[in-house]
Amino acid sequence: MSTFKALVATKGETGPNLAFTDFAESDLMEGDVTVRVTHSTVNYKDGLAITGKAPVVRRWPMIPGIDFSGRVETSDHPDFKPGDLVILNGWGTGETHLGAYAQKSRVKGDWLVPLPAGMNPGEAMAIGTAGYTAMLCVLALERHGLKPADGPVVVTGAAGGVGSVATALLAKAGWHVVASTGRPEEADYLKSLGAAEIIDRNELSAPGRPLGKERWIAGVDAVGSHTLANLLSMTRYGGAIAACGLAQGMDLPTSVMPFILRGVALLGVDSVMCPKPRRLEAWARLATDLDRDALAKITTTIPLESVIETGKAIIEGKVRGRVVVEIG
């Protein structure tokens, strides 16, 4: 029987029990493409799954990991053949479908996108779901008609995965980026990515007024709760905030005032079930718009064996930028 190395989570009374084990290929779930996984990453959602801080995992036992890159081994899907390099983000991988922290994965070919030309699998996971989500946010702001000449853009959780890539993308596109972070020691790091201003997250994280002073025309928010409410209250007339996360909380204690008095828009961004045409657009833009030197600057690399401790660290706010997992 063919086996491979995998991190397997089983349900415990106080949280998931995690162990590295030899997993049987015959126990993989249904799918028409089998991929030899070469790289994954540690996203905030992965940290939630590893620590059990949120009910991310909804099937037990589970191999965590919501995204991967790798090479097709076998395929019954018309778009892919053995040897093709591919990327997977979301679709319930690591939640309801066996995930990325393993040497092999069997998935539906419709979930995969081809690795863009000129990008290697390690770079794809340096971007990962966090970076791909950041690009979806940028595309949402562009579809709303916003451009750098309209005013500043704010990025919350700027030293995290989504925030780091969003800062780099927006700065390269010519935006005046206001980076919000709770880690003042990361100011030089954020400025190296192109941030023009650094503000303390405490300016945004406490309960605020229904309408505040107009400060920015656009924003990318991975935090939610009072932070998102304050972003909306401080958005200029006709502006928009792209929201994609809930690091502070899933509540939104705001009012209708920003929407009916300033015409502000709240743009919801989902990466998990995002349609394939938009995925392809996002990855094509990432291949051309994201500075590879900036990407290298925000990336650290770990072996699969370090995933558990890194997942805990990301929940504790101790991870900067992006983490690539090399799957042995």
Side-chain angles (χ1 to χ4, degrees):
M1 181 183 295
S2 177
T3 62
F4 55 88
K5 184 167 61 177
L7 174 63
V8 177
T10 54
K11 191 172 186 178
E13 291 187 5
T14 59
N17 298 316
L18 299 154
F20 292 97
T21 186
D22 291 328
F23 197 87
E25 187 169 352
S26 59
D27 289 335
L28 287 171
M29 298 175 71
E30 291 185 4
D32 50 10
V33 181
T34 300
V35 178
R36 172 64 169 89
V37 178
T38 61
H39 297 80
S40 185
T41 181
V42 182
N43 300 284
Y44 190 80
K45 183 183 276 189
D46 295 314
L48 292 173
I50 287 168
T51 60
K53 294 292 185 183
V56 171
V57 176
R58 298 190 297 279
R59 174 199 183 275
W60 304 94
M62 175 55 63
I63 297 174
I66 66 170
D67 52 7
F68 64 71
S69 57
R71 189 177 299 274
V72 173
E73 283 196 344
T74 63
S75 174
D76 293 321
H77 191 281
D79 292 348
F80 301 102
K81 63 184 185 303
D84 287 348
L85 294 171
V86 293
I87 302 169
L88 182 139
N89 302 99
W91 295 114
T93 305
E95 302 177 61
T96 57
H97 193 93
L98 295 176
Y101 295 152
Q103 292 176 312
K104 290 190 181 186
S105 181
R106 185 181 297 130
V107 298
K108 295 180 180 180
D110 289 343
W111 296 353
L112 300 169
V113 298
L115 185 77
M119 183 182 293
N120 64 52
E123 289 173 327
M125 285 300 101
I127 295 167
T129 293
Y132 148 70
T133 303
M135 188 75 245
L136 290 176
C137 290
V138 173
L139 292 173
L141 295 173
E142 291 178 353
R143 285 195 301 274
H144 196 70
L146 298 173
K147 52 190 182 301
D150 296 331
V153 60
V154 62
V155 176
T156 62
V162 173
S164 292
V165 178
T167 297
L169 286 169
L170 292 163
K172 188 179 179 185
W175 285 87
H176 180 100
V177 179
V178 180
S180 168
T181 181
R183 294 180 268 175
E185 68 275 11
E186 302 291 10
D188 289 342
Y189 163 77
L190 291 168
K191 288 178 181 177
S192 75
L193 298 180
E197 295 180 51
I198 313 294
I199 62 173
D200 193 298
R201 72 180 176 197
N202 290 330
E203 292 187 36
L204 303 172
S205 60
R209 295 181 296 173
L211 279 180
K213 180 181 178 181
E214 294 178 80
R215 297 177 66 176
W216 34 71
I217 193 69
V220 172
D221 177 61
V223 178
S225 192
H226 291 291
T227 296
L228 178 54
N230 283 315
L231 291 195
L232 292 165
S233 78
M234 299 178 189
T235 299
R236 296 180 184 180
Y237 190 93
I241 302 296
C244 64
L246 42 65
Q248 185 179 7
M250 65 178 68
D251 58 321
L252 182 55
T254 188
S255 74
V256 299
M257 300 289 276
F259 308 113
I260 66 174
L261 294 184
R262 292 182 181 162
V264 170
L266 175 58
L267 310 175
V269 174
D270 166 64
S271 64
V272 176
M273 306 301 289
C274 180
K276 192 165 185 176
R278 193 163 293 172
R279 290 172 182 264
L280 293 170
E281 180 186 10
W283 278 103
R285 284 284 299 274
L286 285 161
T288 58
D289 292 13
L290 183 58
D291 185 287
R292 300 298 171 85
D293 290 336
L295 182 62
K297 195 177 300 180
I298 70 175
T299 303
T300 57
T301 301
I302 64 170
L304 179 59
E305 290 77 12
S306 297
V307 158
I308 298 173
E309 62 190 72
T310 305
K312 295 175 181 177
I314 200 169
I315 296 301
E316 295 169 357
K318 296 178 180 178
V319 172
R320 180 176 80 176
R322 303 289 298 124
V323 177
V324 172
V325 182
E326 289 188 336
I327 309 293

